Every structure is written in structure tokens, then in C-alpha cells.
Amino acid sequence: MLRTLLLTLSVVAIAHAELCKPDAQNAFKVRISIKTALGDNAYAWDANEEYLFKAMVAFAMRRYSSKSTTQISNVLLCNVTDRVSFWFVVTDSSKNVTTVPGSEVEAAIRMNRNRINNAFLLSDKTLQFLKITSTLSPPVEPSTPVWLIVFGVVLCLIVAGIIFLIISGIRKHKKKNKESTERENLEEKVEVTLENGIPCEALDLKAGHVNGVFAADDERFTSL
Amino acid sequence: LSAAPEIPKEDGRPKWDNKFQYILSCIGFAVGLGNVWRFPYLCQIHGGGAFLIPYFIALLFEGIPLLHLELALGQYLRKGSIGAWNTISPYLGGVGVGSWMVSVLVSLYYNTVLTWVMWYFINSFQEPLPWSVCPLNENRTGFNEECYESTAVNYFWYRKTLNITPDIAESGRLQWWLILCLAACWAIVYLCTIRGIETTGKAIYVTAIFPYLVLTIFLIQGLTLPGATEGLIYLFTPNLNTLKNPRVWLDAATQIFFSLSLAFGGLIAFASYNPTKNDCEKDAVTVAIVNSMTSLYASIPVFSVLGFKATTAYWDCLDRNIINIINEFDLPEESIMRQNYTSWISFLNSSYPEKIAGLKLKSCDLQEFLDQSVSGTGLAFIVFTQAIILMPGSQAWAILFFIMLFSLGLSSMFGNIEGVFTPLLELQIIPKSAPKELLSGIICLISFLIALCFTLGSGSYWIDIFDRYAGSVPLLVIAFFEVIGVVYIYKIKRFSKDVEWMTGRKLNLYWQITWRFMSPLLLLIVFVAFVTLQMQKPPSYTAWNPKYEGFPMKEEKVYPPWVQAVCVLLAALPCVCLPLVALFHLVKKKRRSKDPSFVPPEVFSCQGAN
């Protein structure tokens, strides 16, 4: 009884070793960089974390194929290094000693990548599945590009400034014109009264300036 | 032919509100983009601190004398460039026309550079900055190929901003986003120059002082960045051996000449609005020294940031190698750090040489990263933008940086536009009753329409051409004839008396020697050396071609013959004005002397400064 048990166990172990080894068929290498992601809050990678990993992969397989046949024991880990990197493979319990095709595992992991990352507080870059490329998130683009809005603001300010300057220029121009015509009128009057030399037009004037001092002397001259 | 003006009491000529406005305008005109992105580059490639020796010698014997000459000329004759040179001698009228033409050509392309600055400015309000991430390709499986092979910063500049064509002969389409920014830039220029110095005098307070504030902020920030000290040590370590290379002296002379914005006519225009009894000698020395000090002051933050960028690139290189090694040998994380990298590498190389060779590690050398020198638009739009991404709070730094560049360029644009505006105002192109706003509006509108061709796909290649040919050789020729004209045709004795009358003291020996001999000689040597160097190889340019095998390196191409003809035209057009105008006046005089009944009008006209 004990011997058969030992025999089955060793067969299973050898089978597992056959299934899970570096570059085996349908096996994936995982590389984890905890210190890079978490710095001082980094946790140590131990057997408990490995158990969680197996659980997450099993969860992913269940969600993907929506048949609850994958167990934690179906997920095999091997070659764990200090880097922290290891290989894993998912066995199929219905068919004996075979692995689930890599494409299925890949699709399952891809679908649930976010959940797996969050379970370990890591990201796509720090929890790498080496053969599984992550889909890039689409860039967030607002409906109107931001630069157009800023441009509109700048242009409005400039146009407002130009209009203000032009209007104030026109107003100043009008005021200067009014002032200059007023000044011209004032100068003409001043010219007329202060002018010592008699302008030609004044000679035609019938009304001259009567100097009151001499006005009375008219009587002294005898009339012809 | 007497050119002595009467002292006009109220000639209706606009004047500066105060002396400070005038000095600030001259400084703003002189201090431009070149102080930030050309001078530090020259310092770097020409032996660091040693470059300051030829630079200050050129300043002393070429820069300051020519600056004093232009300011004194404008202040005494109280006219823009065309009017002033016509007054000195009608045969020298071509000098004025030539500088006017150069001002026109430079205004056209200079504002397009400001368009690029504005485009980057309005794009700096996003999170993340658009030049920090590569866009995805069509089926979202990876990044855009062109962006992936070069860098996100390069992609944003060459594709998203310029949408550059692979060859200058391919014009491409007009880029609508650049047209919008160009319209905005010309609108800003119109807003500030709408009534001549009345409005630029107010605007200059902001545009001339603001860059100094930002430079100081960048200085403080830059010095706190890691790697800043390496950059500064690299910049300022003098290497006196470079002084043996004549190229260094030529670069110093041309740098000081173009940096002070001489021979554009803008300085003459600025000085013409001064009262005649003003100390132009002190002004010239002040402006020249402030310009050079600004160049030095600007190179400190520039090189702190470049040192930071080189150090970050070096650390990235190291980190990438470390990750590769750790992954290959499955070593625990953080076993290899930057400090013990070299010891680990030597250990691993001795024990597993094939594995190490298989990894194809890049050799990381800090000196190599520091040696990557860039000047001009490459410095601002590629190198600096990349460094800004690495700083915390990058949006704020980007906004500050681009506003600073915009102010620097705008204050230089004021001088360029004044060099175009003042002579046209004096020639009375538009009737006197029409407002000044109309003339500045016409100038800005026409310039905008012509500058639209710089928004084509091949626009930046054309701007390089304008910069290299229209903004270089003609200025040297014009400046040479300026000095010769004043010293030997107007006669230096008369000019000394005029300057003495203005400043109130006699011209000392330094000015006499430099004006008479040193400056014309230096200009002649610089001109000959410059032209010889240009002619040594066929003019070529580097094109951004994604289909090129060496991509992301730029492809070296030669200009097609018709483009070379345009280059020659650009350089020759302002220069050819000089002999043409002189010839025109000679022919007019001969025709007049042949006609005996014709009485020269000078007998009756009043020679006034108006």
C-alpha cells in the first residue's frame, strides 16, 4: 500500500518534472520585479506567494473557459530563481499528463491580466509573462484638442487688444483733429488782431481801424 | 551738400517716453534667440571658457565700435536707415535700401520661428506632454513606427509640428495648425507695433525684462538638478588649444556681429527717436556689455539642463545594461547597482564572456553624452523639451521656457519691424493723413501672406536657407560700407564733431582707431573668410527622411540648382542695391549736367532735418 503510494507519487513527480521545465511545450516564463515596483514596501517571494500565483492562474483559466475543472494543483511551477523568475505550465486534469495548449493559457492570462497584476500590487512591466505581449491602452484623447482651446483664448486676447488700440487711436485722431481745427480758428483771429503788417485782404476792407487819438484832429484840417 | 540739420524744436517726430525705454528696446533687439541657443553651443564646441577670449576681443574691436556708429548716426540725422544714408550721400543710399531689404527678409522667417515656439507653448498645457509619448499605430499593436525608431521628441518636432518632407524640392501641403499660429504671431506683432515706438515702447517693458526672470528661475532650478555640475564644468573648462584654429576666431567675430543685430537699420531707427543731445557713446557700451553678459548668463541654465540630460541618459544606459544582465543571469534585483556596475561587468566578463557578448551591451560613457552638442532649433525643440519631460512639474517648466523664448524673439522682432516701418513712414508710402496703424497693418498683412510659404512641408528647409544666406553675408557687406561711408565719405572729422556736439565730450582715441582701421579691416577679413568657407563645399542640408537606411540619422543632401540660385539671389539682392543706387544717382547727375536749363533744386530748398 505504502509502496504503491510512493510509486504513484514518484510517477506524478517525474511526470510533473517532464511537463514543467524551461522551454517546455506550452510553458511560460514569468519574471517578477518586486523591489522595482514597491521599493521599501517590497514583500518577499515565498511559498505563499507562489500559492497565490497558482490560484490566480487557475482563476484565469476558469474565467476564460468557464468550466470549473482547473484546480490549483493543475498549475505547476518550476525553476524558481533569486531574480524572481520561474516557469509555469497548466495541466489538463481530464486528459492525463498533458498540458493545456499555450494559446489558451495566453488568452486566459490576457483576459485577466489586470486582476493578476492587482493581486500582486504589480504592473505589466514588473510582472512579465515573457511570451505574452500586453495590449497597449488606447490614448486618452479629449473631443477637442487642448491646444485648440488655448489657442482660442490667446487669439481672443490679441484681437481684443488690437480692436481696443485701433478704437482708441481713432478717438485720439478725432480729438486731435477737432483740437487742431479749433486752434487754427483761434490763430486766425489772433493773426488778424495782432498783425502789424497789413495783409493784402485788409487793404480791401472798407472798415479800417479808427484810432481815437487822431479822430478828433480831423476838424483841424480845413476841407478843400 | 550740407547735411547739418537745424535743431528742431517740435518736428512732430515720435519720441521715447524715457531713456530707459530706448535702452531697453536696444537691448531687447540685440538679445534674442541666438543668445540662448547659439552662444552656449559655440562655447561648448570651441573649448569652453577659452572661447571667451576671441569673443571679447571681437566685442572690443568690432561690436562696440559698430554699435556706437549706428546709434550716433541715427541720433544725429534723426531719420530711419534709408533717409539717413540718403542724407550722408545719395550715392550711399543703397546702404539704407540694403539694410531695409535685409530687415524685410529676416522679419519674414524670424516670425515663423516664433510660430513654432507658440505651437509648443499652446501644446504645453496637456498632461502628459504630447512630445513625451509616442502615439500608437493604426491597429494599436505597437507604437507608430517613425516615432519608435527615433524618439517621441523627434517625432513631435518633425512630424506633428513641421510635417516635414524628405526633400526640399517636395513642398508638401500647407499645415493648417502652423497657419493658425502664424496668424496669431503676426497679430501679436501688429498689436505691439501698431503705432510704432508708442506701442513697442510699452510692450518692451514686458518682453525685455521677462526673459531675465525666467532665466533666473531656470538657473536656480537647473543648479539643483543632478548632473548640472558636470554640464557646467564641461562647458567652462577652458581648452586653450582650440584658439589655434582660425575657425574659432571667425565664429567669435560673426557671433558678436549677428548677436548685436548690426546693419539691420533697426538700431538707426531706434536712435532716431532720441533727443539729439544724448550720450550715445555710453548707450552703445551699455547695450553691448548687457548683450554679452546675457549670453553668458543664459549659458549657465542651458548647460545645467544639458548636463542633467546627459547624466540622465547615462544612467538610463547603465540601467538598461543592468536589467539585461540581471535578467540573463537571473540574479536578484538590486544586486548590481550603478556604483558596482564596472566591477560586476569585469567579473562576469572573465567568467562568462560568451553570455556577456551575446547580450550586446551598449558602452555607456558620460563624456559621449555630454559631447552631443546641438544649437539652434534642435536645442530648444528637441534637446530641451526632452530634458523638461524629466523634470518634476514639466508642464510649468515647458510653459515658462516657451514664453521666455517667445519674449526673446518678439523683442528682436520689434527691432526688425522698426527697421522696415520707419523708412517707409519717412518715404511717405501712404498719404500723411492716413493713420500709422494702416501702414503697420499693411506691413504685417503682406508679411503674413508671404510667410505662408514657410508653413509648407519643406518650410523649415527654406528657413535654414534664409538664415544662412539672407541673414549673414549681406549684413557683413552693409556694415563694411557703413563704416567706410561714415569714415571716408562723410569724413570722420565731421562725424567726430557731430558726436562731440551730441555727447558733450571729445571722441577718444579708441573710437578713432577702431572706426578708421580696425573695424573695416576686421569686417573685410571676416567677410572674405566667411565666403571662402561657404564656397569650399557645395551647399548641402540634412533632411529628415523616414525611408532612409540610416534613419534616425538625418540624410545629407545637396541643394538642387534652382535652390542654389535662390540662395545666391537672397545673398546678392541686398548687396546689389548698393552699386545700383549709386549708379542711378550717377546717371541722374550726368543727365542733369547735360541739361543747362535745369536749375538744381538744392538752391531753393531749405535743408532741414525734417
Side-chain angles (χ1 to χ4, degrees):
Chain A
M1 170 61 178
L2 198 63
R3 248 203 287 156
T4 37
L5 199 65
L6 274 170
L7 205 64
T8 28
L9 273 173
S10 52
V11 164
V12 168
I14 293 170
H16 281 188
E18 283 296 314
L19 291 173
C20 176
K21 56 173 196 246
D23 297 318
Q25 199 190 34
N26 302 326
F28 292 91
K29 182 166 183 184
V30 178
R31 194 183 286 147
I32 300 187
S33 318
I34 308 175
K35 284 212 193 113
T36 316
L38 301 169
D40 287 332
N41 299 327
Y43 49 81
W45 186 262
D46 52 15
N48 298 330
E49 306 289 341
E50 284 181 24
Y51 190 81
L52 179 59
F53 183 82
K54 290 184 198 173
M56 292 308 294
V57 173
F59 163 74
M61 293 303 299
R62 284 187 178 213
R63 266 192 94 201
Y64 174 71
S65 51
S66 51
K67 47 180 182 177
S68 327
T69 50
T70 321
Q71 305 290 327
I72 288 184
S73 45
N74 286 117
V75 183
L76 307 172
L77 261 61
C78 52
N79 279 67
V80 184
T81 64
D82 280 336
R83 167 70 180 83
V84 183
S85 66
F86 49 82
W87 289 82
F88 78 92
V89 83
V90 183
T91 57
D92 201 337
S93 37
S94 50
K95 306 179 193 147
N96 241 344
V97 202
T98 52
T99 52
V100 175
S103 49
E104 271 188 54
V105 180
E106 181 171 336
I109 302 272
R110 253 223 189 99
M111 192 176 105
N112 299 288
R113 190 63 188 268
N114 211 17
R115 301 290 299 269
I116 303 177
N117 285 347
N118 281 331
F120 290 96
L121 307 171
L122 299 172
S123 68
D124 276 1
K125 270 212 192 117
T126 40
L127 171 55
Q128 289 171 300
F129 289 85
L130 285 184
K131 270 184 277 174
I132 304 176
T133 52
S134 42
T135 46
L136 303 157
S137 54
V140 175
E141 266 187 40
S143 46
T144 35
V146 176
W147 70 263
L148 211 54
I149 300 174
V150 181
F151 176 76
V153 170
V154 170
L155 200 63
C156 284
L157 288 171
I158 300 170
V159 171
I162 292 179
I163 293 178
F164 169 72
L165 281 178
I166 290 183
I167 291 183
S168 71
I170 294 177
R171 233 185 262 159
K172 220 194 291 181
H173 199 65
K174 274 204 201 126
K175 216 190 329 180
K176 207 173 16 156
N177 273 348
K178 209 170 25 161
E179 267 178 30
S180 67
T181 45
E182 278 176 18
R183 214 186 321 136
E184 270 175 34
N185 294 337
L186 209 65
E187 275 178 12
E188 276 176 22
K189 285 197 226 132
V190 169
E191 243 181 69
V192 167
T193 48
L194 291 183
E195 189 61 53
N196 267 339
I198 304 168
C200 301
E201 303 94 68
L203 291 175
D204 292 338
L205 280 177
K206 305 290 188 313
H209 293 292
V210 177
N211 193 337
V213 177
F214 295 104
D217 283 343
D218 269 350
E219 298 155 351
R220 272 210 257 133
F221 294 110
T222 49
S223 52
L224 293 165
Chain B
L1 191 79
S2 166
E6 303 147 2
I7 308 158
K9 290 280 187 280
E10 283 288 329
D11 58 355
R13 193 174 179 78
K15 51 185 169 61
W16 298 105
D17 287 344
N18 50 52
K19 174 93 182 268
F20 185 58
Q21 227 181 49
Y22 161 64
I23 295 282
L24 215 56
S25 297
C26 292
I27 291 177
F29 185 27
V31 171
L33 297 169
N35 294 63
V36 170
W37 71 34
R38 180 119 179 106
F39 177 79
Y41 163 75
L42 286 176
C43 255
Q44 182 190 1
I45 61 169
H46 288 320
F51 181 69
L52 295 176
I53 298 176
Y55 184 74
F56 277 110
I57 292 181
L59 179 70
L60 214 56
F61 291 116
E62 194 193 341
I64 298 182
L66 284 170
L67 186 61
H68 186 204
L69 190 86
E70 288 211 5
L71 292 183
L73 200 70
Q75 195 175 293
Y76 190 68
L77 297 175
R78 311 204 81 219
K79 286 209 178 115
S81 58
I82 298 185
W85 288 103
N86 266 328
T87 317
I88 293 254
S89 159
Y91 296 109
L92 279 180
V95 177
V97 179
S99 4
W100 180 84
M101 246 189 227
V102 172
S103 284
V104 170
L105 292 173
V106 171
S107 303
L108 286 175
Y109 82 80
Y110 204 80
N111 216 18
T112 316
V113 176
L114 287 186
T115 307
W116 297 336
V117 175
M118 172 170 272
W119 166 252
Y120 269 78
F121 167 70
I122 59 182
N123 269 296
S124 306
F125 287 88
Q126 301 176 30
E127 164 74 33
L129 288 170
W131 55 83
S132 59
V133 284
C134 268
L136 302 175
N137 57 18
E138 280 101 35
N139 41 12
R140 302 250 186 95
T141 51
F143 293 116
N144 179 303
E145 197 188 321
E146 188 182 347
C147 183
Y148 186 69
E149 299 204 356
S150 56
T151 58
V153 181
N154 275 327
Y155 177 76
F156 186 75
W157 169 237
Y158 287 110
R159 192 53 52 210
K160 282 288 155 73
T161 307
L162 300 174
N163 201 6
I164 206 166
T165 54
D167 192 284
I168 194 173
E170 284 175 47
S171 301
R173 291 193 317 269
L174 290 170
Q175 318 302 333
W176 60 273
W177 58 90
L178 285 183
I179 296 181
L180 286 180
C181 292
L182 186 72
C185 282
W186 277 110
I188 293 182
V189 170
Y190 180 52
L191 174 69
C192 293
T193 59
I194 194 167
R195 289 203 272 272
I197 63 164
E198 250 178 79
T199 38
T200 59
K202 313 276 186 321
I204 200 78
Y205 286 117
V206 176
T207 58
I209 296 184
F210 186 70
Y212 288 96
L213 283 172
V214 178
L215 275 175
T216 311
I217 297 176
F218 264 100
L219 180 80
I220 299 173
Q221 154 77 348
L223 289 174
T224 60
L225 293 170
T229 32
E230 273 86 21
L232 285 174
I233 292 172
Y234 181 72
L235 167 70
F236 284 118
T237 315
N239 175 13
L240 290 162
N241 285 323
T242 54
L243 295 183
K244 297 194 196 120
N245 180 7
R247 190 67 205 267
V248 177
W249 295 87
L250 177 67
D251 276 342
T254 46
Q255 170 62 16
I256 201 66
F257 182 78
F258 298 132
S259 175
L260 285 171
S261 308
L262 299 164
F264 278 88
L267 289 166
I268 298 183
F270 280 155
S272 70
Y273 297 115
N274 264 341
T276 32
K277 291 271 195 186
N278 176 47
D279 193 345
C280 50
E281 183 179 339
K282 205 157 54 140
D283 298 340
V285 175
T286 310
V287 172
I289 291 185
V290 169
N291 179 51
S292 298
M293 289 299 123
T294 309
S295 294
L296 277 171
Y297 188 61
S299 29
I300 302 179
V302 167
F303 266 87
S304 310
V305 173
L306 289 182
F308 162 68
K309 181 175 175 300
T311 307
T312 318
Y314 170 64
W315 284 349
D316 277 344
C317 179
L318 277 182
D319 286 343
R320 244 175 301 147
N321 286 354
I322 290 174
I323 285 283
N324 282 342
I325 296 175
I326 286 184
N327 287 345
E328 178 70 17
F329 290 93
D330 281 322
L331 301 164
E333 281 181 283
E334 296 186 357
S335 50
I336 307 183
M337 303 292 284
R338 292 179 196 139
Q339 296 91 315
N340 49 16
Y341 172 75
T342 31
S343 47
W344 266 100
I345 269 280
S346 44
F347 164 68
L348 289 171
N349 229 347
S350 48
S351 359
Y352 309 95
E354 331 78 40
K355 264 194 168 179
I356 292 287
L359 282 176
K360 294 202 185 56
L361 298 172
K362 270 197 178 147
S363 68
C364 300
D365 181 17
L366 181 61
Q367 203 57 28
E368 200 187 303
F369 287 111
L370 283 171
D371 275 335
Q372 290 168 358
S373 52
V374 195
S375 81
T377 51
L379 178 72
F381 299 118
I382 299 182
V383 172
F384 231 77
T385 44
Q386 195 155 29
I388 284 179
I389 302 174
L390 304 165
M391 296 183 202
S394 13
Q395 276 83 10
W397 296 114
I399 292 171
L400 269 180
F401 179 62
F402 290 116
I403 294 191
M404 176 190 80
L405 284 188
F406 195 79
S407 316
L408 281 173
L410 194 65
S411 49
S412 299
M413 270 304 284
F414 293 161
N416 282 326
I417 292 288
E418 222 25 72
V420 176
F421 184 64
T422 305
L424 284 182
L425 205 62
E426 284 160 9
L427 284 175
Q428 296 183 356
I429 297 281
I430 56 164
K432 239 189 164 141
S433 54
K436 263 193 265 184
E437 289 89 332
L438 189 65
L439 181 62
S440 44
I442 293 176
I443 293 176
C444 289
L445 187 66
I446 296 182
S447 307
F448 166 66
L449 291 173
I450 300 179
L452 280 176
C453 58
F454 291 124
T455 58
L456 290 168
S458 55
S460 80
Y461 298 133
W462 284 106
I463 289 189
D464 274 333
I465 287 182
F466 268 69
D467 192 29
R468 270 204 273 179
Y469 295 101
S472 58
V473 171
L475 292 171
L476 291 169
V477 172
I478 291 170
F480 179 72
F481 280 102
E482 276 189 4
V483 187
I484 296 290
V486 167
V487 171
Y488 297 109
I489 299 185
Y490 187 75
K491 297 282 190 287
I492 185 141
K493 275 207 174 59
R494 210 159 114 210
F495 194 62
S496 315
K497 260 205 290 233
D498 298 338
V499 176
E500 202 179 312
W501 180 79
M502 285 196 294
T503 61
R505 40 169 203 283
K506 216 167 153 29
L507 262 187
N508 66 36
L509 200 62
Y510 163 69
W511 303 111
Q512 302 270 358
I513 297 179
T514 47
W515 281 344
R516 266 190 234 240
F517 312 114
M518 299 242 50
S519 299
L521 192 67
L522 261 170
L523 278 172
L524 196 63
I525 296 175
V526 169
F527 172 71
V528 169
F530 197 78
V531 172
T532 332
L533 255 142
Q534 294 275 23
M535 309 254 267
Q536 262 178 6
K537 50 181 172 68
S540 64
Y541 67 108
T542 47
W544 179 263
N545 185 5
K547 301 211 179 43
Y548 177 52
E549 311 94 48
F551 189 77
M553 300 299 292
K554 294 173 85 171
E555 188 182 352
E556 179 107 8
K557 288 188 178 176
V558 178
Y559 287 127
W562 66 274
V563 174
Q564 289 190 28
V566 173
C567 298
V568 172
L569 194 72
L570 279 174
L573 205 64
C575 302
V576 97
C577 289
L578 281 87
L580 270 182
V581 171
L583 208 67
F584 170 72
H585 279 284
L586 206 68
V587 165
K588 207 159 85 168
K589 188 168 150 199
K590 282 237 166 69
R591 215 178 282 162
R592 219 181 285 159
S593 61
K594 284 206 189 119
D595 182 1
S597 61
F598 187 84
V599 182
E602 287 109 70
V603 177
F604 294 122
S605 73
C606 285
Q607 286 286 327
N610 298 339

